Amino acid sequence: MSRSLIVTIDGPAGTGKSSAAAVLAERLGFDMLDTGAMYRTVALLALEAGISPADGALIAAALDRSTLQVDFSVQPPIIRLDGRDVHLRIRDHDVTAIVSQVASHRDVRHRMVEAQRQVALTHAKLVTEGRDQGTIVFPNAVVRIWLDARPDVRAHRRADELRAQGIAVDDAAVLRDIANRDASDRGRAEGPLRQPSGAHVVDTSDLSFAQVVDRLETIVRESLAAAKVGCGGMSA
Ligand code: DC
């Protein structure tokens, strides 16, 4: 088990986890890991190799022939697929449409969980966000956070993000997409989306982005103080 100081942030789509985790990590002087970006990169790999998102064994085999590298020289860090910067490509609709199915396969998840634990071995202070970080990957993390928001708020935020990228969207369609992805992430047998035990719960529905980050920073600093660990220290 890693001796790194780990803060996990889990929650459903559209709660603003990645953006909040990136700013929180910067404030605390921690590194940040976006595990959704890792699964998105696997989905891109499947798309590019022409592998069905339903075929976990073939995707896992393709993964074994490829390199997924988290590049911490960029802030926030990006994932490289065989050396290629794919951080914009993995946000495209075709990737988003299949990522939940790709992420449901045991063979894929085991490889990602292992890769995430490897990252923690070389990053002594890590904010990591996803769906299973506080439940499966780092259940002993010193701080576990569950970020949530009402579905309509999450859909509205995601639609605004897409519009900001110049993509025309309809809120109702985005809401359906988010609801489907959540149901799939919650319903899978392997590493399902669920609230970690002992997690600090933050409902972001009626909070601004700045308020969310402030709340998270307070939670982490108070938890570390209670555990008698400074931001520069190591967990036992
Ligand atoms: O956070 P995101 O939207 O980039 O995540 C993309 C998908 O990856 C999401 O549908 C669920 C999956 N995922 C997962 O299964 N486990 C994680 N730790 C992170 C993401």
Side-chain angles (χ1 to χ4, degrees), residues 9-15 17-18 34-40 90-91 95-96 98-104 109 112-113 116 128-133 137 158 180-182 184-185 188 190-193:
I9 304 181
D10 291 299
T15 46
K17 290 188 304 294
S18 321
D34 174 352
T35 63
M38 297 174 73
Y39 285 98
R40 284 173 179 273
I90 59 173
R91 304 287 151 191
V95 173
T96 304
I98 64 162
V99 61
S100 189
Q101 189 176 13
V102 167
S104 69
R109 297 202 73 80
M112 292 300 104
V113 168
Q116 291 153 17
T128 176
E129 66 92 354
R131 305 294 193 286
D132 59 349
Q133 299 300 285
V137 190
R158 190 46 67 98
N180 287 340
R181 212 139 62 88
D182 284 351
S184 160
D185 291 341
R188 67 177 168 234
E190 195 73 27
L193 169 67

Side-chain angles (χ1 to χ4, degrees), residues 65-214:
R65 293 190 301 272
S66 310
T67 315
L68 249 79
Q69 178 215 351
V70 189
D71 183 351
F72 285 93
S73 70
V74 187
Q75 285 312 319
I78 57 167
I79 312 292
R80 290 188 182 277
L81 176 58
D82 293 326
R84 220 168 10 119
D85 174 359
V86 293
H87 85 279
L88 290 177
R89 177 69 182 91
I90 59 173
R91 304 287 151 191
D92 287 344
H93 182 72
D94 56 348
V95 173
T96 304
I98 64 162
V99 61
S100 189
Q101 189 176 13
V102 167
S104 69
H105 302 299
R106 188 173 179 271
D107 290 347
V108 170
R109 297 202 73 80
H110 281 193
R111 283 163 176 76
M112 292 300 104
V113 168
E114 186 50 36
Q116 291 153 17
R117 289 182 177 151
Q118 284 297 322
V119 167
L121 291 179
T122 48
H123 294 267
K125 296 180 288 174
L126 193 66
V127 174
T128 176
E129 66 92 354
R131 305 294 193 286
D132 59 349
Q133 299 300 285
T135 49
I136 303 287
V137 190
F138 304 111
N140 298 319
V142 66
V143 187
R144 298 181 296 285
I145 294 170
W146 175 255
L147 224 52
D148 208 349
R150 293 190 300 272
D152 59 309
V153 174
R154 295 191 282 120
H156 187 66
R157 285 183 189 151
R158 190 46 67 98
D160 277 353
E161 267 170 34
L162 293 168
R163 282 188 200 106
Q165 295 164 27
I167 302 166
V169 284
D170 155 34
D171 278 30
V174 177
L175 181 57
R176 268 198 310 278
D177 179 50
I178 279 190
N180 287 340
R181 212 139 62 88
D182 284 351
S184 160
D185 291 341
R186 285 198 160 98
R188 67 177 168 234
E190 195 73 27
L193 169 67
R194 57 185 171 78
Q195 188 176 317
S197 72
H200 299 264
V201 178
V202 178
D203 187 320
T204 70
S205 303
D206 301 311
L207 300 178
S208 68
F209 179 70
Q211 286 172 324
V212 172
V213 181
D214 285 349

